[in-house]
Amino acid sequence: MEEKTIQIAGSITVDELATALGLSVTELIGTLFKNGIVATINQRLDYETASIIIDELGLENVKLERKNTSTQTSDFHRELSDKAVTRPPVVAVMGHVDHGKTTLLDTLLHKKTVEAEAGGITQHISAYQLKHDDRIITFLDTPGHEAFAAIRQHGAMLTDIVVIVVAADDGVKPQTVEAINFAKSANAKIIVAINKIDREGADIDRTKADLSQHGLQPEEWGGDITMVPISAKMNQNLDKLLDMILLTADIEELKADVDIPAEGLVIESHMETGKGSVVNLLVTGGELKTGEFIVAGSTYAKIRTMLDWKGKPKGKATPSTPVTITGFKELPNFGDRFIEVKDEKTARKMALLNAQAAANESASANVTSSDLLRMMNVADNSKTFNVIVKGDVLGSVTSVVDSLKMIDTKGEVTLNIVSTGVGDINENDVYMAAGGNTVIYGFNVSVPINISKMAARDGVPIRTYRVIYELLDDAKHEMENLLDAEIIEEDKGEMKVLGVFRTEKTSIIAGGEVLKGDVKPEFLVRVVRGKEYLGEAEVTSVQKEKIDVKELTAGETGGLALKTTSKIDLQIGDRLKFFTRESKKRTL
Ligand code: GDP
C-alpha cells in the first residue's frame, strides 16, 4: 500500500483530515463518534486525536507529521554561513532502566571532572560538559523519554548523538527499542554502549545479534553502527566510547554560527526562593551574554546572572554550552526555544505575540486527545440516546431540552444532547448525527429538501414537531426501545424420561410420563438429572401412541421430539421441566 504523510500544523479540521485520508466526512465523523467524540465538519482535531483516529481506522500506511507554524521555530534550522565554527557535540544517554545510564554518566563525570571540582556536584543539573583529548563534549542529563518527545514536538533536534546503553547480560528491552526509535526520529547519530561486560552473564555477541534484530547493524558485521563494549562501573573502555563520540562528531562536521543573535533551548526551569526563576538553557547558536534580552515562548528575560553547569559565573556562552540563568519574568516551558532580541521593548512585544499565537492554536484545536481518551473510557454507551435539537427560537430549544431531560429512565438510558441550535436543520446537523444513533428533533423548524435527502441517504432520522408533547412522546418511545426487555418465564409441567429413542447433535426423540402440568409443542424444556442441569431444548412435537397430539397432560405417557442447540446425552430417569419464556418490551 502506498505510504501517505499528512502534516498537521497545530490542528486539522475534520473536513481536511477526511480529504487527506480519502474518506467521506461522514465516515470520519462516524469513527470519531464511535470513540465518543461528537465532531462537526469544521471542528479542529489536535495531532494526538488525529493519530488515535488513524490508528482506529487501521490505516497503517498513513503517517502523521507535526508541522511547526509558529514564528518561534520556523527559522530554527537556518542554513549555516561559511563563517560557522565547529561546536561540541550534544550527546544524550538513553536506554532501558538499570542498564547503567546513571553509572555511565557518574563514572565519566567523576573521572573527568573530579580533579577540577572538589566536593562534587550537588545542584541539580540538566547538562554537563566533559573534556576529552582537549575537546568538549556536552552531555544531556537523561531526561525521561517523554521529555524527549516534548523537545521533538517543538521541532528542535537538540541531540546530535544518542548513546544507547544496553546491558550485555540483559539485551534489548522495551526502553532500548524506544531509545532506538527516538534517536531515529530525531535524526541523531547512534552509538551503542554495550555495558556491564565485567558481569559473568555478559554476552557481547548475543547483544549485538539482538541489536541487529532491531535494525542496528554493528560496524564489524558490515553495518554502520559503532558499538563499544564497556563497563561503566569498572571504568572499562570509557575512553574508547568518548573517542567514538568525537569521531562521530567529526564526521558529522557539527557547526554553528556565532555572529548571529544567540538562540537555543530551555532544558530545565524552576523557581528558587531568593533567586526567582532559575532556567537552564542550551545555546545552539550565537553567543549569549549577561545583560542581554531573550524571549522564550510567552515570557522574556534580561539575563541577570549566568552560570556554567558547575555553578561558576560565566560571561559568555557559545554554541553547545549549557548555562543556568536568572532573570526570566515567568518560567518558560521545557523545550521552548529562546532567541536574543535587541531590547526590552522588542522582548515584551515578541513574548506577547507568542502568547497570542499559542492561545489561538490551542483554541482552534477544539477536540483534544484528552477529550478523546476521556470519552474512550466511557463504558458501553449502547444505552445512550443521542439527540440534536433545533428550534425556531432559543426559548423553544431550551424548553425542548429541559423537557427531554425530565424523561425519567431510572438511570437506565442516558440522554446525550449532541448539539442544539436555532434555525432550520442543516447539513452540519446531519453530519453530526451520521456516525451514531442520533435523532435530530426539529421544533417549529423546517427541513430543506436537500437535507432530508442527505439524511435519508445516511440513515439519519429527522423528526419535526409543532407540539412539544408529541416530540416528547417520540423521544420517550425511542428511549424505551433502548431498555432491556423484561424476560418472563412460566413453569408448565414436568416429565420423567422412560425411554430414549434417538439422540443426535440437535435433536432428541424420547418418551415418558407427565408428572405434573402439561406438555405442548413449542414449550421450552430444561433437562435435569438429579440436581445437575444438562441443557435447554425446545419441544417440536408431542405424540401419544405414535400420533401427533396438541398436548399431553399429567398422568399421561407419550413421546416427544426435542430440538437442542448442543448435544444432550439424555438418559432414562432424567427429568424434563417445561416452561414458556416471553420477552416483554418495557415502558417508561
Ligand atoms: P540506569 O537505570 O540505566 O541509570 O542504571 P544504573 O546506572 O542505575 O545501574 C543499575 C545497576 O547496574 C546498578 O546497580 C549499577 O551499579 C549496575 N551497573 C551499572 N553499570 C554496570 C557495569 O558496568 N557493571 C556492573 N557489574 N554493574 C553495573
Side-chain angles (χ1 to χ4, degrees):
M1 224 190 284
E2 201 191 326
E3 289 276 325
K4 202 190 280 184
T5 303
I6 300 174
Q7 292 199 327
I8 296 192
S11 59
I12 186 167
T13 66
V14 166
D15 194 20
E16 289 162 353
L17 184 62
T19 309
L21 293 172
L23 293 176
S24 74
V25 171
T26 322
E27 233 176 311
L28 182 60
I29 288 179
T31 309
L32 283 161
F33 194 89
K34 272 193 228 127
N35 288 294
I37 292 285
V38 179
T40 62
I41 182 163
N42 293 319
Q43 201 136 9
R44 305 197 71 88
L45 310 173
D46 69 0
Y47 175 91
E48 283 76 17
T49 305
S51 54
I52 295 170
I53 288 305
I54 286 170
D55 231 37
E56 280 287 304
L57 288 164
L59 301 172
E60 280 164 16
N61 60 322
V62 178
K63 236 180 78 196
L64 280 191
E65 224 172 68
R66 283 181 209 271
K67 196 165 103 186
N68 270 297
T69 46
S70 72
T71 47
Q72 267 220 60
T73 41
S74 55
D75 58 350
F76 197 47
H77 289 289
R78 71 178 75 239
E79 289 289 310
L80 292 175
S81 76
D82 47 13
K83 282 186 271 172
V85 298
T86 303
R87 62 172 177 83
V90 177
V91 181
V93 178
M94 299 180 82
H96 198 69
V97 63
D98 277 348
H99 280 199
K101 300 176 294 290
T102 316
T103 310
L104 174 61
L105 281 171
D106 281 355
T107 310
L108 285 173
L109 282 180
H110 192 72
K111 180 173 145 158
K112 295 283 173 180
T113 61
V114 76
E115 310 90 347
E117 203 57 20
I121 302 130
T122 49
Q123 81 199 89
H124 175 75
I125 43 175
S126 35
Y128 331 75
Q129 289 198 309
L130 301 183
K131 243 191 193 157
H132 181 66
D133 284 349
D134 263 341
R135 290 171 62 188
I136 290 172
I137 303 172
T138 302
F139 278 91
L140 293 180
D141 199 1
T142 27
H145 294 192
E146 258 171 47
F148 271 105
I151 292 178
R152 195 175 45 194
Q153 191 180 330
H154 286 75
M157 301 308 167
L158 188 64
T159 43
D160 302 307
I161 298 168
V162 174
V163 171
I164 297 179
V165 178
V166 190
D169 59 348
D170 203 23
V172 173
K173 287 277 165 300
Q175 285 165 294
T176 322
V177 177
E178 257 178 59
I180 296 171
N181 292 338
F182 165 76
K184 286 188 172 164
S185 66
N187 257 335
K189 288 285 143 195
I190 295 176
I191 295 177
V192 176
I194 300 179
N195 192 28
K196 305 198 187 181
I197 55 166
D198 59 298
R199 281 236 173 133
E200 209 164 282
D203 188 335
I204 297 172
D205 276 343
R206 200 190 53 215
T207 309
K208 284 181 185 168
D210 213 3
L211 286 159
S212 31
Q213 292 269 313
H214 289 86
L216 301 187
Q217 307 296 338
E219 271 167 350
E220 51 282 19
W221 294 2
D224 59 354
I225 304 288
T226 305
M227 300 195 181
V228 188
I230 62 164
S231 167
K233 195 173 169 184
M234 313 307 271
N235 194 359
Q236 244 176 293
N237 231 13
L238 297 195
D239 277 330
K240 173 83 185 298
L241 180 64
L242 297 176
D243 287 344
M244 287 304 146
I245 289 172
L246 288 176
L247 184 66
T248 307
D250 288 341
I251 295 168
E252 291 298 298
E253 294 189 41
L254 302 172
K255 287 187 172 178
D257 275 308
V258 283
D259 56 355
I260 54 169
E263 61 181 17
L265 283 174
V266 173
I267 54 177
E268 222 243 17
S269 69
H270 65 273
M271 297 301 283
E272 245 174 62
T273 36
K275 287 189 195 163
S277 62
V278 175
V279 176
N280 292 359
L281 304 173
L282 182 78
V283 179
T284 57
E287 289 179 343
L288 192 65
K289 298 177 210 73
T290 41
E292 285 175 345
F293 288 93
I294 55 172
V295 180
S298 52
T299 177
Y300 71 95
K302 177 178 185 175
I303 301 177
R304 212 162 55 212
T305 60
M306 183 157 79
L307 307 175
D308 71 5
W309 69 273
K310 286 180 276 185
K312 276 197 290 200
K314 200 167 175 74
K316 184 176 89 178
T318 50
S320 297
T321 307
V323 285
T324 303
I325 68 146
T326 58
F328 265 105
K329 306 282 166 207
E330 284 163 45
L331 283 185
N333 291 321
F334 172 85
D336 273 352
R337 179 193 172 219
F338 76 83
I339 186 146
E340 178 198 336
V341 292
K342 64 176 193 300
D343 53 22
E344 179 148 18
K345 198 170 145 219
T346 318
R348 201 182 303 131
K349 203 164 125 199
M350 240 179 102
L352 194 68
L353 284 174
N354 283 339
Q356 282 166 354
N360 284 342
E361 208 163 82
S362 66
S364 66
N366 42 25
V367 174
T368 63
S369 57
S370 56
D371 292 340
L372 184 54
L373 293 173
R374 185 165 43 77
M375 299 307 288
M376 277 178 155
N377 287 333
V378 174
D380 171 23
N381 59 0
S382 61
K383 293 220 177 69
T384 302
F385 180 47
N386 302 300
V387 292
I388 293 174
V389 178
K390 296 298 287 282
D392 52 346
V393 290
L394 194 59
S396 64
V397 175
T398 315
S399 57
V400 169
V401 168
D402 288 346
S403 313
L404 283 170
K405 285 182 183 160
M406 302 276 284
I407 299 176
D408 185 6
T409 66
K410 309 203 172 52
E412 284 197 61
V413 178
T414 314
L415 176 76
N416 177 28
I417 314 259
V418 173
S419 85
T420 61
V422 174
D424 285 349
I425 290 160
N426 60 35
E427 210 176 353
N428 227 353
D429 300 325
V430 178
Y431 276 134
M432 265 197 281
N437 280 321
T438 305
V439 176
I440 303 177
Y441 283 119
F443 188 68
N444 281 334
V445 295
S446 47
V447 189
I449 187 84
N450 60 321
I451 300 299
S452 60
K453 272 189 188 157
M454 184 179 153
R457 189 199 62 203
D458 289 351
V460 172
I462 297 182
R463 317 244 168 91
T464 52
Y465 291 96
R466 299 203 174 272
V467 181
I468 199 158
Y469 301 112
E470 288 174 14
L471 190 157
L472 292 177
D473 265 346
D474 184 276
K476 198 168 152 189
H477 186 70
E478 287 286 345
M479 286 162 114
E480 283 170 344
N481 286 342
L482 292 171
L483 293 175
D484 283 335
E486 198 180 352
I487 306 289
I488 301 165
E489 289 186 356
E490 201 180 320
D491 288 340
K492 290 295 183 183
E494 190 174 332
M495 177 185 260
K496 182 178 174 186
V497 177
L498 299 173
V500 181
F501 310 117
R502 205 162 78 201
T503 54
E504 279 173 10
K505 202 168 165 203
T506 57
S507 70
I508 297 175
I509 295 179
E513 184 191 348
V514 181
L515 301 178
K516 61 181 177 190
D518 55 8
V519 189
K520 289 180 184 170
E522 278 159 37
F523 279 0
L524 297 170
V525 195
R526 283 193 190 93
V527 184
V528 289
R529 181 173 302 155
K531 283 187 178 150
E532 195 186 350
Y533 168 74
L534 300 179
E536 197 179 282
E538 188 190 336
V539 179
T540 49
S541 65
V542 179
Q543 290 190 336
K544 190 171 167 67
E545 282 154 12
K546 294 191 176 149
I547 295 165
D548 278 353
V549 290
K550 285 206 181 100
E551 63 170 344
L552 285 174
T553 51
E556 290 185 299
T557 52
L560 299 179
L562 302 176
K563 191 169 84 187
T564 61
T565 47
S566 59
K567 189 168 172 162
I568 298 175
D569 184 21
L570 191 70
Q571 287 173 16
I572 291 172
D574 290 347
R575 298 293 161 101
L576 303 177
K577 299 194 169 185
F578 305 102
F579 66 102
T580 54
R581 181 187 288 144
E582 258 180 44
S583 72
K584 205 169 127 202
K585 221 173 121 173
R586 285 162 58 214
T587 52
L588 289 172

